[in-house]
């Protein structure tokens, strides 16, 4: 579900804006670090920190899209990748300046999400079950907004033909900014939820998650949210079984799966509509 939250924002941004945002993993990292700080400041109000942390990262996403990324929409993909990769370096060093280059241990105190419950004779952490529930809820809400609301129709229209949408009166630049900020919020939410789970917070944690998110997006089909959700489930389950039974080949299994999907379906399991 962590991978899905990050991959959903990455997929949404690419599906609408046509931008492969390599800095998306950095938003995940910033969401984790800001939520970590807020959990300490607002303890024991973990839910409030979980709400405010991703919102603060949205302000960063707004600045990145409004004054930097918007200038390279018309340029070729390598320029977009170079710009977003530059932000990866900027944010990594910013985190080192503000929080230090070492690892940080997540604070304790999850309130009602602490402890475990017994299911079929085995105990499962309440927080893990909470995260597992959040993922499908986010997926359903995204589907409902994009497929059943007028905002979703406008977003899909702008992603298909931005010139025609602009001619019909849609404020495309503002729409793109809103979509990018929302995608940033999804990545930051994944980082905030990861604070009690990942064990240690490190300045390079964004690079690890963005690789998994790109793999998920490629497997599911770039721009396809349902493909990203299915891809995240496949990668998560495969990683769990690989860690348990083939620990030496854990990452290897993921790349074998991606290679197999690309050989059989080069556009991914679900080709996006754009």
């Amino acid at each position: 579900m962590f991978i899905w939250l990050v991959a959903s924002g990455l997929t949404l941004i690419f599906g609408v804006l046509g931008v492969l945002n390599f800095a998306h993993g950095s938003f995940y990292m910033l969401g984790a670090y800001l939520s970590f700080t807020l959990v300490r400041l607002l303890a024991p109000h973990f839910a409030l920190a979980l709400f405010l942390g991703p919102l603060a990262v949205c302000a960063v996403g707004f600045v990145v899209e409004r004054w930097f990324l918007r200038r390279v929409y018309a340029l070729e993909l390598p320029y977009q990748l170079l710009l977003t990769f530059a932000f990866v370096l900027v944010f990594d060093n910013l985190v080192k300046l503000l929080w230090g280059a070492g690892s940080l241990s997540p604070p304790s105190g999850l309130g009602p999400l602490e402890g475990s419950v017994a299911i079929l004779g085995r105990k499962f952490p309440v927080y893990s079950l909470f995260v597992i529930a959040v993922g499908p809820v986010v997926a359903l809400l995204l589907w409902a907004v994009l497929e059943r609301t007028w905002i979703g129709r406008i977003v899909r229209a702008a992603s298909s033909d931005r010139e025609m949408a602009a001619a019909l009166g849609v404020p495309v630049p503002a729409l793109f900014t809103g979509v990018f900020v929302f995608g940033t919020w999804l990545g930051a939410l994944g980082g905030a939820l990861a604070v009690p789970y990942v064990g240690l917070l490190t300045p390079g944690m964004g690079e690890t998650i963005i690789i998994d998110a790109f793999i998920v997006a490629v497997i599911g089909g770039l721009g396809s949210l349902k493909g990203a959700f299915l891809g995240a489930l496949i990668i998560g389950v495969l990683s769990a079984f690989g860690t348990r039974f083939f620990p030496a080949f854990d990452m290897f299994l993921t790349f074998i799966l991606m290679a197999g999907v690309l050989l059989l379906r080069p556009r991914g399991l679900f080709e996006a509509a754009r």
Side-chain angles (χ1 to χ4, degrees), residues 33-220:
Y33 271 89
L34 286 172
S35 298
F36 164 84
T37 301
L38 290 172
V39 165
R40 285 192 164 182
L41 293 175
L42 303 175
H45 304 291
F46 174 75
L48 184 58
L50 191 66
F51 175 75
L52 293 177
L55 285 182
V57 181
C58 286
V60 179
F62 175 81
V63 172
V64 169
E65 195 281 336
R66 177 62 182 81
W67 282 283
F68 295 93
L69 199 57
R70 185 178 293 186
R71 301 177 182 273
V72 299
Y73 284 157
L75 301 182
E76 296 182 3
L77 183 61
Y79 294 97
Q80 300 173 2
L81 290 176
L82 284 173
L83 177 62
T84 55
F85 182 73
F87 276 109
V88 172
L89 304 179
V90 170
F91 291 138
D92 279 358
N93 283 281
L94 180 64
V95 165
K96 291 177 183 178
L97 287 172
L98 295 178
W99 286 278
S103 301
L104 299 178
S105 298
S108 58
L110 299 176
L113 297 177
E114 289 184 312
S116 59
V117 294
I119 300 177
L120 299 177
R122 295 190 61 182
K123 289 187 176 181
F124 293 87
V126 174
Y127 188 75
S128 296
L129 297 176
F130 168 71
V131 173
I132 290 174
V134 167
V137 169
V138 170
L140 287 173
L141 289 176
L142 279 174
W143 173 83
V145 170
L146 291 175
E147 300 292 336
R148 293 289 184 260
T149 66
W150 65 272
I151 295 177
R153 289 194 290 270
I154 291 174
V155 169
R156 286 185 283 119
S159 67
S160 298
D161 192 332
R162 64 186 67 178
E163 289 80 11
M164 181 60 72
L168 293 174
V170 175
V172 174
L175 178 68
F176 280 11
T177 300
V179 170
F180 189 88
V181 170
F182 182 69
T184 298
W185 178 80
L186 288 171
L189 178 63
L193 289 171
V195 169
Y197 188 84
V198 296
L200 292 174
L201 303 183
T202 59
M205 62 187 296
E207 282 85 337
T208 303
I209 195 73
I210 195 62
I211 292 174
D212 291 334
F214 266 119
I215 292 174
V216 164
V218 168
I219 290 175

Side-chain angles (χ1 to χ4, degrees), residues 238-256:
L238 183 65
S239 178
F241 276 93
T243 302
R244 176 65 178 85
F245 298 106
F246 309 101
F249 302 98
D250 180 19
M251 198 66 180
F252 186 59
L253 292 175
T254 301
F255 285 107
I256 286 180

Side-chain angles (χ1 to χ4, degrees), residues 221-243:
L222 285 172
S224 171
L225 285 171
K226 63 181 178 181
F229 186 77
L230 179 61
L233 285 177
I234 294 173
I235 293 299
V237 172
L238 183 65
S239 178
F241 276 93
T243 302

